[in-house]
Amino acid sequence: MKKSSTELKRSILLHGAMAPLALIWLFPLWMMLVFSTMDDNGIFSPGINLAPSTHFAANFAALEADTGFVRATTISVLVAIAYTLLSVALTSMAGWALASYRFVGKRTVLTTILGTLTLPYFVVVIPQFVMVARDFHLDNTWFALIVPPLFNSLGVLFMRQSFLMMPGELFDSARVEGVKEWRIFLFVAMPLARPTLAALSIILFLHSWNNYLWPLLINSRPEMMTAPVALGSLIGLTKVSWGGIMTGAVLLTAPMLVVFLLLQRHFVAGIAAGAIK
């Protein structure tokens, strides 16, 4: 009974300490929602209004008229889904090869992958743009939006660690039985890595969903704009549509919060699985 009372006190203290931190994190999200329901004059009014207003529909109508936001969001969804599926497949195969096979230059490959994690994206993006747009003439295409960013070094290392944690005897017994390597990978290793795959899928989808710089560089056609680029186009030299930006930000953030809340158990399990050896 005494132990139960001590645990209850610790739980109360922990929740009491974490609640203010949670409120600090949630307050900007709430103000984003409030601002999305105001016109520009209301956003820049002297006082701080914590209650939503009634201009959300008007802001959305203006946002759609200025940017074609529904079309841009549809493009972002399609690109993010394709990118996630292809990148998960690519990083899983690379992680499996690095975890299961011995080959000449394996240490060099691992060192190179680790080294790419230290490179800022801005160092890579310009040569990547020159190669895709000037050399291959693939700018303003779906291929350019999806394929060049596919390889994810962190995802490769993440999947490699997950495969290394699995019992090697299970794969060896399958090889003794004559099971082909691709079947071992697809039907033995991949199901065991399901929590890690779920966590990696969430990370990659959010990465694509929030990507702004690469779609901005590689596409110049308005009909190929992704949603973050569409929101960025509202910032002009003489006018900034803050109500439209806040409305678009809410529409882009809310689905991701819902998805994360629904899948947080798989996300935490995948992160833990990839972190413990």
Side-chain angles (χ1 to χ4, degrees):
M1 187 69 180
K2 183 177 180 180
K3 182 179 179 180
S4 177
S5 176
T6 302
E7 290 179 351
L8 179 61
K9 291 179 180 179
R10 289 178 179 176
S11 178
I12 293 174
L13 290 174
L14 178 62
H15 284 78
M18 297 300 294
L21 297 177
L23 291 176
I24 292 173
W25 184 82
L26 290 173
F27 182 74
L29 296 178
W30 175 253
M31 291 308 301
M32 179 177 67
L33 175 63
V34 171
F35 288 153
S36 71
T37 64
M38 297 179 177
D39 57 10
D40 287 354
N41 291 331
I43 292 175
F44 291 101
S45 60
I48 299 178
N49 192 350
L50 299 178
S53 186
T54 58
H55 285 79
F56 186 88
N59 286 338
F60 177 76
L63 173 66
E64 175 63 20
D66 292 338
T67 65
F69 191 72
V70 174
R71 181 191 64 245
T73 303
T74 303
I75 292 174
S76 284
V77 170
L78 295 176
V79 169
I81 291 174
Y83 170 82
T84 301
L85 293 176
L86 293 174
S87 188
V88 165
L90 181 64
T91 55
S92 297
M93 289 187 288
W96 172 255
L98 291 172
S100 303
Y101 305 133
R102 295 180 180 178
F103 52 89
V104 178
K106 179 178 178 179
R107 186 179 296 274
T108 303
V109 171
L110 279 173
T111 303
T112 303
I113 292 175
L114 285 170
T116 60
L117 294 176
T118 65
L119 287 176
Y121 181 62
F122 303 101
V123 175
V124 180
V125 69
I126 299 303
Q128 182 173 276
F129 170 77
V130 171
M131 181 176 65
V132 173
R134 187 191 67 185
D135 299 338
F136 296 150
H137 305 287
L138 290 173
D139 51 317
N140 297 308
T141 64
W142 289 91
F143 181 92
L145 275 175
I146 298 170
V147 174
L150 273 184
F151 185 79
N152 188 283
S153 301
L154 185 61
V156 173
L157 298 175
F158 202 44
M159 291 307 301
R160 173 181 175 269
Q161 182 65 22
S162 177
F163 291 133
L164 284 174
M165 293 173 55
M166 298 177 186
E169 296 81 4
L170 181 64
F171 306 133
D172 292 337
S173 62
R175 293 185 180 101
V176 170
E177 293 294 329
V179 181
K180 295 184 180 298
E181 286 294 323
W182 67 270
R183 294 182 65 88
I184 296 175
F185 171 67
L186 285 180
F187 300 112
V188 181
M190 292 294 276
L192 291 175
R194 193 174 300 155
T196 307
L197 289 172
L200 181 60
S201 297
I202 296 173
I203 293 172
L204 293 175
F205 188 91
L206 289 176
H207 172 72
S208 177
W209 185 258
N210 295 322
N211 195 3
Y212 175 77
L213 181 59
W214 178 247
L216 176 66
L217 289 175
I218 204 61
N219 284 313
S220 57
R221 291 159 48 191
E223 62 270 18
M224 289 293 293
M225 282 195 308
T226 59
V229 177
L231 286 186
S233 67
L234 293 176
I235 302 176
L237 294 176
T238 59
K239 180 184 176 182
V240 179
S241 178
W242 292 109
I245 290 174
M246 291 295 103
T247 301
V250 168
L251 294 174
L252 293 181
T253 303
M256 294 302 99
L257 287 177
V258 172
V259 168
F260 181 79
L261 290 174
L262 292 176
L263 300 178
Q264 62 176 329
R265 178 170 61 87
H266 301 285
F267 182 78
V268 173
I271 293 294
I276 301 174
K277 169 89 169 144

